Amino acid sequence: DIREEIASGKRPRADYLEMAHGFETDRWTSYSAPELEVVALTDSGGTGYLLLSGPEPDTQWERFAAAVEQLVRRLDVRLVVTMAGIPMAVPHTRPIGVTVHGTRSELTEGHDSLFAAADVPGSAVALTEYRLGQAGHAAMGFAVHVPHYLARAEYPQAARVLVDHLAVATGLYLSTEALTTAAERTEREIAEEVAQVVAALERQYDTVVSGGGERSGAGLGGTLPSADELAAEVERFLAGHDDQDAPDPQSDDPRGDDPGLPPPSGPSG
């Protein structure tokens, strides 16, 4: 069965910068290569879908895109959806924005964009969607706008927004209860830590959204807080998160018991 064959995650692989070695005293004791996995899952309504997860390849993007196209064709996938998080100068106190893109215009109908034309950094995921469109496949992506001062922290609010958009686009029934609980906890934690920076971003955001400021391909325009201001307000918050132990998968993992829920960033299809 092709599903069992690809579920092993042996092809394709991310580059070896993602690999891990075990070391004890004076010798290497183990080796763990990065893997991409395609897993067959079922939503709460009994509908099956495939989840591609793992580190985004840093090399051989064309080979990766070709492999994904082959899987889409052989498994007769009707729609490919990618999800990612992008840092942006927006406050967490305003509605979380999402940039939607796709290989067909009907896939993005009803979605407004803050961007016009823009040159953005390349990625394996973007190239894959582009190649899928050239091959005649339906593919689309959601890029959630993560406040730039929280890019290094856990931000389940962004993951919840991605899952909601994924559900609408595909018709899948995916629970967000665990993500909602995690988001409420995170909201309380950051409420006072970054107040000064958020106040400045709120004024900038409201100016742009109301039409009083210019939109640009680089994101929301206007004067951002300086690096020193960001460091003073944000480092205290991030330092606390960096020192925490990994969350218990049975309690704090925002994905809960459903392995089909994606993290805030990274490739998925």
Side-chain angles (χ1 to χ4, degrees):
D1 188 302
I2 182 63
R3 293 173 188 253
E4 295 178 356
E5 180 183 352
I6 62 179
S8 66
K10 293 182 179 179
R11 65 175 193 270
R13 292 185 185 277
D15 80 328
Y16 287 91
L17 292 176
E18 299 288 343
M19 67 185 182
H21 283 290
F23 184 83
E24 292 182 9
T25 309
D26 59 355
R27 68 194 65 191
W28 301 108
T29 59
S30 64
Y31 163 71
S32 177
E35 293 186 349
L36 287 162
E37 294 183 320
V38 178
V39 185
L41 300 171
T42 304
D43 73 353
S44 57
T47 300
Y49 63 100
L50 298 174
L51 175 67
L52 169 62
S53 65
E56 181 175 2
D58 291 325
T59 62
Q60 302 186 51
W61 290 356
E62 290 286 5
R63 183 179 179 186
F64 171 77
V68 172
E69 194 279 328
Q70 182 184 53
L71 294 177
V72 170
R73 182 163 26 87
R74 294 180 64 181
L75 296 173
D76 194 26
V77 176
R78 68 175 181 84
L79 175 65
V80 176
V81 182
T82 64
M83 291 169 287
I86 53 176
M88 189 170 292
V90 293
H92 71 279
T93 53
R94 295 296 183 265
I96 297 177
V98 177
T99 296
V100 184
H101 43 84
T103 58
R104 302 172 184 172
S105 58
E106 60 266 24
L107 295 174
T108 61
E109 287 181 354
H111 296 279
D112 296 326
S113 176
L114 288 174
F115 304 100
D119 291 326
V120 299
S123 68
V125 172
L127 176 63
T128 299
E129 181 179 309
Y130 180 64
R131 295 300 188 213
L132 288 173
Q134 290 181 320
H137 300 294
M140 65 184 303
F142 299 107
V144 66
H145 305 166
V146 178
H148 61 322
Y149 53 90
L150 298 175
R152 289 172 48 207
E154 291 185 2
Y155 195 55
Q157 289 89 328
R160 181 179 58 187
V161 168
L162 285 175
V163 174
D164 288 340
H165 278 73
L166 175 64
V168 172
T170 62
L172 294 173
Y173 292 96
L174 302 172
S175 173
T176 58
E177 183 176 353
L179 284 172
T180 298
T181 300
E184 292 172 349
R185 181 178 65 249
T186 302
E187 199 74 30
R188 292 191 296 269
E189 292 175 353
I190 66 178
E192 297 180 0
E193 294 290 344
V194 292
Q196 182 176 345
V197 171
V198 171
L201 289 172
E202 285 176 341
R203 292 191 294 271
Q204 174 183 295
Y205 178 95
D206 292 341
T207 299
V208 173
V209 171
S210 65
E214 295 184 358
R215 297 180 178 184
S216 69
L220 294 176
T223 302
L224 298 177
S226 69
D228 289 340
E229 291 171 333
L230 285 172
E233 293 291 329
V234 178
E235 282 304 319
R236 292 195 305 272
F237 172 73
L238 295 180
H241 282 265
D242 288 343
D243 293 339
Q244 292 178 357
D245 294 330
D248 186 283
Q250 299 299 322
S251 59
D252 293 332
D253 187 349
R255 291 179 291 174
D257 296 329
D258 187 348
L261 299 186
S265 62
S268 175

